[in-house]
């Protein structure tokens, strides 16, 4: 496959409700949409880097720079045989996994359309629908949080993740657990703790949580190992796992018992599958994380989550949990059993609404 033109779109889309984590609060979500043209076909990819470097060092601005100045020029007009070949050609850029992952997603969309196969089928998916949950940001008080959770339960979500930070952790989780004794519940700290102050989280161990996500710094596998040793509840790593090698080392070290897989964070869908495979071989459960994606990235997440080792519900909520208007013509909705259908049309299985795309585009760049 030869791609003769890439177009980058810097999008800013209003969220239906602000989303607050331990690293900040956003009302709009930025991303870069990538359009790749090959003969008469168009493929789409989503680079999930946000405006601010709170979750990772990548931002929409760094990704724009890395994409337009380095990665796209290295791919334009080249024969791209498979995802490994694509990654090999991007290997001269150190880091910047989200920029690379956006390009790989566009490549898969084109490849699926060329071969009339859905992404789910190409990646080895086995499920027509995947179990999902909802990730709820920090609310103004524990009572407000309980009310927000109740609203999502009415909509049919059967697994809830709440964000925590120092001072807003055990009280929030306890309030939700008291209100909903049987709820599948988990928490995510987004690296807000140190080994020293994470002992304040010990009461969480009594709340029958599915897991505790990323309590400590992203570059701190060893202290996650120390922390896991004093918790019964499985620790799950998100920010710390940037490659299959990190995943193996974290598991060998006992730094976690579950891994959150996000294709953007690990540099692409092919690496996400590699991590899935490594975890499956060890019997370690994985689940698909989310980055508030548009319909493009959401379609890719659903395909990824259809692989057999994704045994825990993903952070892949319905479109209306995020956006009043999306840039895809398809909107994803929640089935009564807390699942979302996996697209089965070729490639990502979604089409882009050009008018909507234009409405949310801050900047557009055509290359090639
Ligand atoms: O840590 O999982 C995270 C959103 C942005 C950045 C990081 C995270 C999240 C979420 C939202 O938790 C998941 C989603 O619904 O897309
Ligand atoms: Mg997380």
């Amino acid at each position: 496959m030869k791609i003769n033109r890439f177009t980058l779109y810097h999008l800013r889309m209003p969220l239906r409700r602000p989303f607050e984590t331990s690293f900040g609060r956003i009302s709009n979500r930025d991303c870069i949409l990538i359009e790749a043209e090959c003969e008469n076909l168009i493929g789409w990819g989503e680079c999930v880097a946000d405006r601010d470097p709170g979750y990772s060092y990548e931002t929409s601005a760094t990704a724009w720079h890395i994409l337009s100045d380095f990665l796209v020029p290295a791919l334009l007009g080249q024969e791209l045989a498979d995802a490994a070949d694509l990654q090999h050609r991007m290997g001269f850029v150190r880091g910047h996994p989200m920029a690379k992952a956006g390009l790989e997603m566009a490549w898969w969309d084109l490849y699926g359309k060329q071969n009339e196969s859905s992404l789910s089928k190409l990646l080895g998916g086995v499920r027509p629908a995947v179990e999902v949950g909802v990730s709820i940001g920090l609310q103004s008080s524990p009572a407000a949080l309980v009310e927000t959770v109740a609203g999502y339960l009415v909509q049919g979500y059967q697994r809830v993740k709440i964000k925590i930070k120092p001072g807003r952790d055990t009280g929030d989780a306890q309030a939700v657990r008291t209100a909903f004794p049987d709820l599948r519940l988990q928490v995510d700290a987004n690296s807000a703790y140190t080994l020293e102050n994470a002992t304040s989280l010990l009461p969480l161990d009594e709340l029958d949580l599915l897991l505790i996500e990323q309590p400590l710094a992203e570059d701190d596998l060893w202290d996650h190992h120390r922390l896991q040793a004093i918790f019964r509840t499985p620790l799950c790593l998100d920010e710390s796992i940037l490659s299959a090698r990190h995943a193996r080392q974290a598991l060998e070290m006992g730094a976690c018992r579950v891994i959150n897989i996000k294709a953007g964070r690990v540099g692409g869908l092919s690496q996400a599958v590699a991590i899935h495979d490594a975890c499956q071989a060890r019997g370690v459960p994985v689940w698909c994380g989310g980055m508030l994606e548009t319909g493009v990235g959401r379609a890719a997440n659903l395909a990824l989550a259809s692989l057999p080792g994704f045994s825990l519900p993903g952070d892949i909520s319905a479109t209306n949990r995020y956006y009043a208007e999306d840039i895809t013509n398809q909107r994803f909705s929640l089935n009564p059993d807390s699942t979302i259908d996996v697209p089965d049309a070729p490639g990502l299985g979604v089409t882009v609404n050009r008018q909507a795309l234009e409405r949310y585009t801050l900047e557009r760049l055509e290359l090639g």
Side-chain angles (χ1 to χ4, degrees):
M1 176 200 309
K2 278 190 187 158
I3 300 175
N4 294 310
R5 181 159 50 213
F6 287 91
T7 309
L8 308 182
Y9 302 82
H10 180 182
L11 304 189
R12 178 163 299 162
M13 290 169 56
L15 291 167
R16 289 190 56 201
R17 282 173 294 277
F19 187 68
E20 183 171 342
T21 65
S22 63
F23 58 82
R25 177 186 174 91
I26 58 168
S27 301
N28 298 284
R29 185 250 181 188
D30 283 26
C31 71
I32 298 171
L33 217 67
I34 300 168
E35 180 181 13
E37 292 174 55
C38 168
E39 288 154 23
N40 52 345
L41 294 174
I42 286 177
W44 294 95
E46 178 167 346
C47 165
V48 296
D50 203 348
R51 196 194 63 174
D52 296 353
Y55 170 79
S56 86
Y57 64 81
E58 286 187 276
T59 66
S60 36
T62 70
W64 190 270
H65 162 54
I66 295 295
L67 284 164
S68 57
D69 292 340
F70 299 103
L71 296 175
V72 168
L75 300 182
L76 266 174
Q78 303 296 316
E79 182 58 46
L80 305 170
D82 51 27
D85 182 26
L86 184 87
Q87 288 293 336
H88 183 72
R89 290 175 190 278
M90 299 194 292
F92 74 102
V93 172
R94 189 188 299 259
H96 299 279
M98 294 178 184
K100 292 171 182 171
L103 287 168
E104 204 196 291
M105 194 190 299
W107 181 88
W108 279 109
D109 192 24
L110 277 174
Y111 185 77
K113 285 169 177 167
Q114 276 186 342
N115 293 280
E116 292 181 26
S117 178
S118 70
L119 180 60
S120 169
K121 209 156 116 195
L122 291 171
L123 297 180
V126 293
R127 282 185 278 262
V130 300
E131 267 197 287
V132 303
V134 60
S135 172
I136 301 177
L138 289 155
Q139 306 290 308
S140 56
S141 67
L145 174 62
V146 167
E147 198 174 315
T148 302
V149 171
Y152 285 116
L153 298 188
V154 166
Q155 291 175 39
Y157 291 100
Q158 291 171 14
R159 190 230 66 182
V160 166
K161 163 168 134 181
I162 63 168
K163 294 291 187 177
I164 58 169
K165 68 174 182 181
R168 294 296 307 281
D169 40 37
T170 55
D172 281 41
Q174 182 69 62
V176 175
R177 175 50 82 216
T178 302
F180 310 105
D182 301 323
L183 176 62
R184 301 178 83 189
L185 179 65
Q186 59 194 60
V187 298
D188 186 1
N190 289 110
S191 298
Y193 296 84
T194 63
L195 183 61
E196 291 71 33
N197 69 15
T199 49
S200 68
L201 296 177
L202 271 169
L204 293 180
D205 228 10
E206 309 305 319
L207 297 182
D208 195 22
L209 303 178
L210 288 171
L211 54 90
I212 299 170
E213 185 176 346
Q214 195 71 39
L216 309 179
E218 77 279 7
D219 61 352
D220 200 352
L221 282 187
W222 182 251
D223 281 355
H224 276 104
H225 151 78
R226 302 252 321 251
L227 196 65
Q228 179 68 87
I230 61 169
F231 274 85
R232 273 183 297 133
T233 309
L235 296 190
C236 167
L237 292 177
D238 174 353
E239 284 90 327
S240 289
I241 305 299
L242 301 177
S243 67
R245 181 161 43 82
H246 286 164
R248 175 179 58 77
Q249 291 172 351
L251 294 171
E252 284 179 359
M253 213 187 275
C256 65
R257 295 185 194 143
V258 178
I259 289 179
N260 162 334
I261 300 182
K262 293 177 181 170
R265 194 192 68 228
V266 303
L269 286 157
S270 55
Q271 295 89 306
V273 172
I275 294 174
H276 160 273
D277 294 349
C279 289
Q280 200 184 19
R282 291 168 174 267
V284 171
V286 302
W287 54 285
C288 183
M291 293 290 290
L292 313 174
E293 284 87 351
T294 72
V296 170
R298 193 163 309 285
N301 285 346
L302 287 163
L304 181 63
S306 72
L307 270 66
F310 284 82
S311 55
L312 289 166
D315 274 352
I316 315 173
S317 305
T319 305
N320 69 2
R321 179 256 177 274
Y322 309 93
Y323 303 109
E325 182 184 40
D326 204 342
I327 49 101
T328 52
N329 291 308
Q330 298 73 16
R331 289 179 73 83
F332 294 100
S333 53
L334 190 69
N335 300 320
D337 60 349
S338 196
T339 65
I340 296 182
D341 296 341
V342 178
D344 57 6
L348 292 172
V350 292
T351 53
V352 168
N353 175 339
R354 298 270 176 188
Q355 282 88 47
L357 180 66
E358 215 166 289
R359 253 193 294 290
Y360 303 115
T361 297
L362 301 176
E363 195 178 351
R364 178 179 181 279
L365 178 66
E366 221 174 273
L367 299 156

mmCIF file of all heavy atoms in Angstrom, residues 38-68:
data_model
loop_
_atom_site.group_PDB
_atom_site.id
_atom_site.type_symbol
_atom_site.label_atom_id
_atom_site.label_comp_id
_atom_site.label_asym_id
_atom_site.label_seq_id
_atom_site.Cartn_x
_atom_site.Cartn_y
_atom_site.Cartn_z
ATOM 1 N N CYS A 38 -5.102 6.507 -0.430
ATOM 2 C CA CYS A 38 -4.396 5.489 -1.197
ATOM 3 C C CYS A 38 -5.274 5.143 -2.388
ATOM 4 O O CYS A 38 -6.346 4.576 -2.211
ATOM 5 C CB CYS A 38 -4.162 4.263 -0.320
ATOM 6 S SG CYS A 38 -3.612 2.816 -1.199
ATOM 7 N N GLU A 39 -4.821 5.515 -3.587
ATOM 8 C CA GLU A 39 -5.655 5.367 -4.783
ATOM 9 C C GLU A 39 -7.031 5.967 -4.512
ATOM 10 O O GLU A 39 -7.127 7.120 -4.163
ATOM 11 C CB GLU A 39 -5.706 3.903 -5.219
ATOM 12 C CG GLU A 39 -4.368 3.473 -5.835
ATOM 13 C CD GLU A 39 -4.081 1.988 -5.720
ATOM 14 O OE1 GLU A 39 -5.011 1.193 -5.569
ATOM 15 O OE2 GLU A 39 -2.895 1.630 -5.801
ATOM 16 N N ASN A 40 -8.102 5.160 -4.612
ATOM 17 C CA ASN A 40 -9.426 5.754 -4.428
ATOM 18 C C ASN A 40 -9.991 5.527 -3.024
ATOM 19 O O ASN A 40 -11.156 5.776 -2.781
ATOM 20 C CB ASN A 40 -10.412 5.210 -5.471
ATOM 21 C CG ASN A 40 -10.401 3.692 -5.474
ATOM 22 O OD1 ASN A 40 -9.471 3.075 -4.920
ATOM 23 N ND2 ASN A 40 -11.416 3.090 -6.052
ATOM 24 N N LEU A 41 -9.139 5.070 -2.102
ATOM 25 C CA LEU A 41 -9.619 4.792 -0.744
ATOM 26 C C LEU A 41 -9.109 5.833 0.240
ATOM 27 O O LEU A 41 -8.041 6.421 0.050
ATOM 28 C CB LEU A 41 -9.166 3.400 -0.297
ATOM 29 C CG LEU A 41 -9.764 2.211 -1.054
ATOM 30 C CD1 LEU A 41 -9.095 0.922 -0.592
ATOM 31 C CD2 LEU A 41 -11.278 2.155 -0.861
ATOM 32 N N ILE A 42 -9.909 6.030 1.324
ATOM 33 C CA ILE A 42 -9.515 6.948 2.383
ATOM 34 C C ILE A 42 -9.529 6.207 3.704
ATOM 35 O O ILE A 42 -10.469 5.467 4.008
ATOM 36 C CB ILE A 42 -10.475 8.159 2.434
ATOM 37 C CG1 ILE A 42 -10.184 9.075 1.243
ATOM 38 C CG2 ILE A 42 -10.318 8.937 3.739
ATOM 39 C CD1 ILE A 42 -11.101 10.260 1.143
ATOM 40 N N GLY A 43 -8.466 6.380 4.455
ATOM 41 C CA GLY A 43 -8.404 5.784 5.794
ATOM 42 C C GLY A 43 -8.301 6.880 6.839
ATOM 43 O O GLY A 43 -7.731 7.946 6.580
ATOM 44 N N TRP A 44 -8.855 6.622 8.020
ATOM 45 C CA TRP A 44 -8.829 7.611 9.105
ATOM 46 C C TRP A 44 -8.117 7.060 10.327
ATOM 47 O O TRP A 44 -8.244 5.877 10.652
ATOM 48 C CB TRP A 44 -10.262 7.998 9.514
ATOM 49 C CG TRP A 44 -11.007 8.731 8.448
ATOM 50 C CD1 TRP A 44 -11.857 8.187 7.521
ATOM 51 C CD2 TRP A 44 -10.958 10.132 8.166
ATOM 52 N NE1 TRP A 44 -12.341 9.172 6.697
ATOM 53 C CE2 TRP A 44 -11.814 10.375 7.076
ATOM 54 C CE3 TRP A 44 -10.277 11.211 8.751
ATOM 55 C CZ2 TRP A 44 -11.998 11.651 6.538
ATOM 56 C CZ3 TRP A 44 -10.467 12.476 8.225
ATOM 57 C CH2 TRP A 44 -11.313 12.691 7.124
ATOM 58 N N GLY A 45 -7.390 7.947 10.987
ATOM 59 C CA GLY A 45 -6.758 7.575 12.255
ATOM 60 C C GLY A 45 -6.938 8.707 13.244
ATOM 61 O O GLY A 45 -7.140 9.865 12.851
ATOM 62 N N GLU A 46 -6.897 8.382 14.527
ATOM 63 C CA GLU A 46 -7.027 9.407 15.565
ATOM 64 C C GLU A 46 -5.796 9.379 16.453
ATOM 65 O O GLU A 46 -5.462 8.342 17.031
ATOM 66 C CB GLU A 46 -8.293 9.154 16.397
ATOM 67 C CG GLU A 46 -8.477 10.155 17.535
ATOM 68 C CD GLU A 46 -9.883 10.093 18.150
ATOM 69 O OE1 GLU A 46 -10.797 9.480 17.534
ATOM 70 O OE2 GLU A 46 -10.054 10.645 19.248
ATOM 71 N N CYS A 47 -5.137 10.524 16.554
ATOM 72 C CA CYS A 47 -4.025 10.671 17.497
ATOM 73 C C CYS A 47 -4.616 11.265 18.768
ATOM 74 O O CYS A 47 -5.154 12.368 18.755
ATOM 75 C CB CYS A 47 -2.954 11.584 16.911
ATOM 76 S SG CYS A 47 -1.785 12.149 18.153
ATOM 77 N N VAL A 48 -4.522 10.536 19.885
ATOM 78 C CA VAL A 48 -5.284 10.890 21.095
ATOM 79 C C VAL A 48 -4.597 11.895 22.011
ATOM 80 O O VAL A 48 -5.115 12.200 23.088
ATOM 81 C CB VAL A 48 -5.651 9.623 21.909
ATOM 82 C CG1 VAL A 48 -6.574 8.722 21.104
ATOM 83 C CG2 VAL A 48 -4.399 8.876 22.355
ATOM 84 N N ALA A 49 -3.450 12.435 21.596
ATOM 85 C CA ALA A 49 -2.785 13.431 22.454
ATOM 86 C C ALA A 49 -3.714 14.626 22.662
ATOM 87 O O ALA A 49 -4.297 15.138 21.708
ATOM 88 C CB ALA A 49 -1.473 13.875 21.820
ATOM 89 N N ASP A 50 -3.853 15.051 23.913
ATOM 90 C CA ASP A 50 -4.747 16.162 24.245
ATOM 91 C C ASP A 50 -3.969 17.487 24.234
ATOM 92 O O ASP A 50 -2.772 17.510 23.997
ATOM 93 C CB ASP A 50 -5.407 15.901 25.609
ATOM 94 C CG ASP A 50 -6.715 16.674 25.780
ATOM 95 O OD1 ASP A 50 -7.008 17.584 24.968
ATOM 96 O OD2 ASP A 50 -7.439 16.366 26.744
ATOM 97 N N ARG A 51 -4.665 18.581 24.514
ATOM 98 C CA ARG A 51 -4.023 19.901 24.461
ATOM 99 C C ARG A 51 -2.893 20.038 25.477
ATOM 100 O O ARG A 51 -1.840 20.599 25.202
ATOM 101 C CB ARG A 51 -5.076 21.000 24.703
ATOM 102 C CG ARG A 51 -4.621 22.370 24.289
ATOM 103 C CD ARG A 51 -5.532 23.442 24.862
ATOM 104 N NE ARG A 51 -5.484 23.440 26.336
ATOM 105 C CZ ARG A 51 -6.085 24.342 27.091
ATOM 106 N NH1 ARG A 51 -6.802 25.298 26.547
ATOM 107 N NH2 ARG A 51 -5.983 24.269 28.402
ATOM 108 N N ASP A 52 -3.129 19.513 26.693
ATOM 109 C CA ASP A 52 -2.163 19.689 27.784
ATOM 110 C C ASP A 52 -1.373 18.405 28.061
ATOM 111 O O ASP A 52 -1.912 17.310 27.916
ATOM 112 C CB ASP A 52 -2.897 20.073 29.075
ATOM 113 C CG ASP A 52 -3.596 21.426 28.971
ATOM 114 O OD1 ASP A 52 -3.404 22.116 27.944
ATOM 115 O OD2 ASP A 52 -4.340 21.770 29.905
ATOM 116 N N PRO A 53 -0.111 18.542 28.519
ATOM 117 C CA PRO A 53 0.708 17.350 28.814
ATOM 118 C C PRO A 53 0.460 16.812 30.220
ATOM 119 O O PRO A 53 1.394 16.589 30.990
ATOM 120 C CB PRO A 53 2.133 17.881 28.653
ATOM 121 C CG PRO A 53 2.033 19.314 29.058
ATOM 122 C CD PRO A 53 0.665 19.788 28.647
ATOM 123 N N GLY A 54 -0.800 16.569 30.603
ATOM 124 C CA GLY A 54 -1.123 16.106 31.952
ATOM 125 C C GLY A 54 -1.097 14.598 32.074
ATOM 126 O O GLY A 54 -0.603 14.060 33.058
ATOM 127 N N TYR A 55 -1.594 13.914 31.054
ATOM 128 C CA TYR A 55 -1.629 12.446 31.076
ATOM 129 C C TYR A 55 -0.288 11.890 30.606
ATOM 130 O O TYR A 55 0.231 10.921 31.142
ATOM 131 C CB TYR A 55 -2.771 11.947 30.197
ATOM 132 C CG TYR A 55 -2.757 10.455 29.956
ATOM 133 C CD1 TYR A 55 -3.217 9.576 30.923
ATOM 134 C CD2 TYR A 55 -2.260 9.939 28.757
ATOM 135 C CE1 TYR A 55 -3.193 8.207 30.706
ATOM 136 C CE2 TYR A 55 -2.240 8.575 28.538
ATOM 137 C CZ TYR A 55 -2.696 7.713 29.504
ATOM 138 O OH TYR A 55 -2.666 6.352 29.288
ATOM 139 N N SER A 56 0.267 12.510 29.566
ATOM 140 C CA SER A 56 1.596 12.121 29.073
ATOM 141 C C SER A 56 2.274 13.376 28.534
ATOM 142 O O SER A 56 1.647 14.429 28.443
ATOM 143 C CB SER A 56 1.468 11.080 27.957
ATOM 144 O OG SER A 56 1.283 11.705 26.695
ATOM 145 N N TYR A 57 3.545 13.247 28.154
ATOM 146 C CA TYR A 57 4.251 14.430 27.639
ATOM 147 C C TYR A 57 3.735 14.849 26.263
ATOM 148 O O TYR A 57 3.960 15.970 25.831
ATOM 149 C CB TYR A 57 5.761 14.186 27.568
ATOM 150 C CG TYR A 57 6.163 13.082 26.597
ATOM 151 C CD1 TYR A 57 6.259 13.321 25.225
ATOM 152 C CD2 TYR A 57 6.436 11.800 27.054
ATOM 153 C CE1 TYR A 57 6.599 12.314 24.336
ATOM 154 C CE2 TYR A 57 6.779 10.789 26.183
ATOM 155 C CZ TYR A 57 6.851 11.044 24.829
ATOM 156 O OH TYR A 57 7.185 10.041 23.962
ATOM 157 N N GLU A 58 3.063 13.950 25.567
ATOM 158 C CA GLU A 58 2.586 14.318 24.231
ATOM 159 C C GLU A 58 1.385 15.253 24.317
ATOM 160 O O GLU A 58 0.496 15.079 25.152
ATOM 161 C CB GLU A 58 2.182 13.072 23.429
ATOM 162 C CG GLU A 58 3.356 12.261 22.936
ATOM 163 C CD GLU A 58 2.906 11.130 22.007
ATOM 164 O OE1 GLU A 58 2.526 10.068 22.530
ATOM 165 O OE2 GLU A 58 2.929 11.332 20.774
ATOM 166 N N THR A 59 1.344 16.223 23.430
ATOM 167 C CA THR A 59 0.198 17.131 23.322
ATOM 168 C C THR A 59 -0.217 17.177 21.854
ATOM 169 O O THR A 59 0.515 16.695 20.975
ATOM 170 C CB THR A 59 0.552 18.564 23.756
ATOM 171 O OG1 THR A 59 1.509 19.099 22.821
ATOM 172 C CG2 THR A 59 1.150 18.598 25.161
ATOM 173 N N SER A 60 -1.361 17.790 21.597
ATOM 174 C CA SER A 60 -1.762 17.914 20.196
ATOM 175 C C SER A 60 -0.708 18.714 19.420
ATOM 176 O O SER A 60 -0.470 18.447 18.239
ATOM 177 C CB SER A 60 -3.149 18.547 20.086
ATOM 178 O OG SER A 60 -3.343 19.515 21.079
ATOM 179 N N ALA A 61 -0.050 19.662 20.083
ATOM 180 C CA ALA A 61 0.973 20.454 19.383
ATOM 181 C C ALA A 61 2.249 19.656 19.122
ATOM 182 O O ALA A 61 2.831 19.756 18.041
ATOM 183 C CB ALA A 61 1.295 21.723 20.180
ATOM 184 N N THR A 62 2.700 18.861 20.095
ATOM 185 C CA THR A 62 3.920 18.060 19.821
ATOM 186 C C THR A 62 3.615 17.012 18.755
ATOM 187 O O THR A 62 4.446 16.734 17.894
ATOM 188 C CB THR A 62 4.475 17.346 21.084
ATOM 189 O OG1 THR A 62 3.592 16.287 21.496
ATOM 190 C CG2 THR A 62 4.704 18.317 22.227
ATOM 191 N N ALA A 63 2.406 16.435 18.812
ATOM 192 C CA ALA A 63 2.059 15.401 17.831
ATOM 193 C C ALA A 63 1.976 16.011 16.432
ATOM 194 O O ALA A 63 2.415 15.401 15.447
ATOM 195 C CB ALA A 63 0.741 14.735 18.214
ATOM 196 N N TRP A 64 1.443 17.221 16.353
ATOM 197 C CA TRP A 64 1.361 17.916 15.057
ATOM 198 C C TRP A 64 2.765 18.077 14.473
ATOM 199 O O TRP A 64 3.013 17.811 13.292
ATOM 200 C CB TRP A 64 0.697 19.277 15.275
ATOM 201 C CG TRP A 64 0.334 20.009 14.037
ATOM 202 C CD1 TRP A 64 1.118 20.894 13.344
ATOM 203 C CD2 TRP A 64 -0.918 19.946 13.321
ATOM 204 N NE1 TRP A 64 0.446 21.376 12.260
ATOM 205 C CE2 TRP A 64 -0.810 20.810 12.225
ATOM 206 C CE3 TRP A 64 -2.109 19.229 13.521
ATOM 207 C CZ2 TRP A 64 -1.854 20.999 11.309
ATOM 208 C CZ3 TRP A 64 -3.140 19.414 12.617
ATOM 209 C CH2 TRP A 64 -3.017 20.277 11.525
ATOM 210 N N HIS A 65 3.678 18.520 15.321
ATOM 211 C CA HIS A 65 5.080 18.720 14.918
ATOM 212 C C HIS A 65 5.732 17.405 14.489
ATOM 213 O O HIS A 65 6.329 17.309 13.404
ATOM 214 C CB HIS A 65 5.824 19.352 16.106
ATOM 215 C CG HIS A 65 7.307 19.259 16.068
ATOM 216 N ND1 HIS A 65 8.068 19.691 14.997
ATOM 217 C CD2 HIS A 65 8.188 18.771 16.979
ATOM 218 C CE1 HIS A 65 9.350 19.474 15.264
ATOM 219 N NE2 HIS A 65 9.446 18.909 16.441
ATOM 220 N N ILE A 66 5.598 16.377 15.310
ATOM 221 C CA ILE A 66 6.250 15.093 15.006
ATOM 222 C C ILE A 66 5.631 14.461 13.753
ATOM 223 O O ILE A 66 6.341 13.904 12.900
ATOM 224 C CB ILE A 66 6.147 14.140 16.221
ATOM 225 C CG1 ILE A 66 6.932 14.701 17.420
ATOM 226 C CG2 ILE A 66 6.620 12.731 15.864
ATOM 227 C CD1 ILE A 66 8.438 14.803 17.220
ATOM 228 N N LEU A 67 4.314 14.578 13.631
ATOM 229 C CA LEU A 67 3.648 14.021 12.449
ATOM 230 C C LEU A 67 4.081 14.757 11.184
ATOM 231 O O LEU A 67 4.512 14.133 10.205
ATOM 232 C CB LEU A 67 2.126 14.123 12.599
ATOM 233 C CG LEU A 67 1.465 13.103 13.554
ATOM 234 C CD1 LEU A 67 0.053 13.546 13.922
ATOM 235 C CD2 LEU A 67 1.449 11.713 12.915
ATOM 236 N N SER A 68 3.969 16.082 11.209
ATOM 237 C CA SER A 68 4.170 16.822 9.954
ATOM 238 C C SER A 68 5.644 16.939 9.569
ATOM 239 O O SER A 68 5.976 16.932 8.393
ATOM 240 C CB SER A 68 3.518 18.205 10.048
ATOM 241 O OG SER A 68 4.042 18.920 11.137
#
